[in-house]
Amino acid sequence: MIRKKVLFLILTLLFFIIPLTVLLLQSISAPWRFHTGQGIDWGWQEYSTLFQNPQLWEATFISIGIGFAVLFINVAIGLFTGKALTPYAYRGKAWLEALLLSPILIPSLAIAMGLHLFMIRVGLADTIWGVMLIHLVPTVPYSIKIFHNSYQQIGKAMMEQPHILGAGFWTQVFTVELPLLRPAIRSVTFLTIVISLSQYAITAIIGGGRVLTLPLVFFPFLNNANTSIMAAFSIWFALIPVFMYIIIEALMMFLPYSRLPWRNHR
């Protein structure tokens, strides 16, 4: 057990803490070359240059809005679909599960190219709504799988007790199931936000360059010779999902643990 903890700490140090520290130090220092003999010039000039870019703020707010919308849709679809797949065994269930998970096996770029023509016809191309819908393709299968596994762990008997004791459908969802599904919601939150924020190709195809998200701003920055500005942008990009996760975690504090009406029937 101790060896596993030590191994985990070493891997965390090598693959997370050290790279992030180097990136942070690079973002607050001017580009430095050791052969010049000059010292490191510390400062916040790179962040000032970054924040003066008006596209950064527009892309940030749009990315956050799309991320939250995609997350809430994922929770709704994953919650009810995962619940529907759990309690009963029926013929063709394995095929249905495979069909729901199939978008993971098909490249998102191929799906986006096919859906692009459809969205042009229905007027969703080059719109934020179209980008939200296309972001569901690489995220919903994971949400369904996570909630499905969580409902299986909770068990059919646990889900039947509130109903037997008089709880309505929505009372059971908000006062029993959601509190029990907190770990699943956390997993879906982080996974969905990270996947949505990182989409470049499908956002460019469906958004047509008019829906400006952070990846569309980030990739042009890669051509910048100033590595400190790229490091500052990377730090900013990394903070967005953390900020969104904190908001969702704060909202989950309002999930009720008590005041269950069906308890009065005991």
Side-chain angles (χ1 to χ4, degrees):
M1 190 66 179
I2 297 178
R3 291 181 179 180
K4 291 182 179 180
K5 290 183 178 180
V6 172
L7 179 61
F8 175 77
L9 291 175
I10 293 174
L11 292 177
T12 302
L13 185 67
L14 291 176
F15 295 103
F16 181 74
I17 296 178
I18 292 178
L20 187 61
T21 302
V22 172
L23 193 65
L24 179 61
L25 293 176
Q26 179 67 68
S27 69
I28 58 176
S29 62
W32 175 72
R33 300 292 183 271
F34 71 92
H35 62 271
T36 61
Q38 299 177 352
I40 300 177
D41 184 16
W42 303 101
W44 300 94
Q45 296 86 351
E46 284 70 24
Y47 284 97
S48 299
T49 303
L50 184 66
F51 293 149
Q52 287 174 1
N53 188 340
Q55 288 187 330
L56 175 71
W57 295 105
E58 179 185 357
T60 298
F61 291 128
I62 291 176
S63 296
I64 292 175
I66 292 175
F68 276 128
V70 173
L71 172 61
F72 291 135
I73 297 173
N74 265 270
V75 170
I77 295 176
L79 182 74
F80 294 113
T81 306
K83 182 178 180 180
L85 291 173
T86 302
Y88 305 106
Y90 45 86
R91 193 171 184 179
K93 181 178 179 180
W95 288 101
L96 178 59
E97 293 181 8
L99 179 63
L100 293 172
L101 298 176
S102 60
I104 300 177
L105 305 176
I106 304 173
S108 298
L109 189 59
I111 298 177
M113 294 297 292
L115 288 177
H116 190 212
L117 297 176
F118 169 77
M119 289 189 178
I120 290 175
R121 293 179 180 179
V122 298
L124 289 175
D126 302 343
T127 66
I128 194 171
W129 304 106
V131 173
M132 289 179 187
L133 290 176
I134 199 63
H135 281 198
L136 296 177
V137 173
T139 54
V140 164
Y142 293 106
S143 301
I144 293 175
K145 188 64 176 177
I146 291 172
F147 279 111
H148 178 42
N149 291 339
S150 297
Y151 271 112
Q152 285 184 322
Q153 292 176 1
I154 292 173
K156 180 181 176 181
M158 178 69 75
M159 292 294 98
E160 289 178 343
Q161 289 180 21
H163 179 70
I164 294 173
L165 295 172
F169 176 79
W170 292 109
T171 300
Q172 178 174 334
V173 169
F174 285 104
T175 62
V176 180
E177 296 177 14
L178 286 180
L180 291 175
L181 291 170
R182 285 172 183 266
I185 295 174
R186 290 189 178 99
S187 300
V188 170
T189 295
F190 201 78
L191 191 64
T192 300
I193 289 175
V194 170
I195 293 176
S196 178
L197 287 176
S198 63
Q199 296 304 312
Y200 173 77
I202 62 175
T203 302
I205 292 172
I206 303 301
R210 296 183 181 181
V211 180
L212 192 65
T213 59
L214 281 172
L216 269 66
V217 178
F218 178 74
F219 279 94
F221 265 92
L222 293 177
N223 296 325
N224 196 321
N226 192 327
T227 56
S228 297
I229 293 182
M230 288 190 292
F233 196 107
S234 299
I235 292 292
W236 177 256
F237 205 167
L239 289 176
I240 300 300
V242 175
F243 167 74
M244 296 174 68
Y245 182 84
I246 291 173
I247 292 178
I248 297 300
E249 190 68 29
L251 291 176
M252 283 198 296
M253 295 175 62
F254 293 95
L255 288 178
Y257 284 104
S258 58
R259 297 183 300 169
L260 305 182
W262 50 273
R263 282 183 175 176
N264 297 329
H265 295 268
R266 291 184 178 180

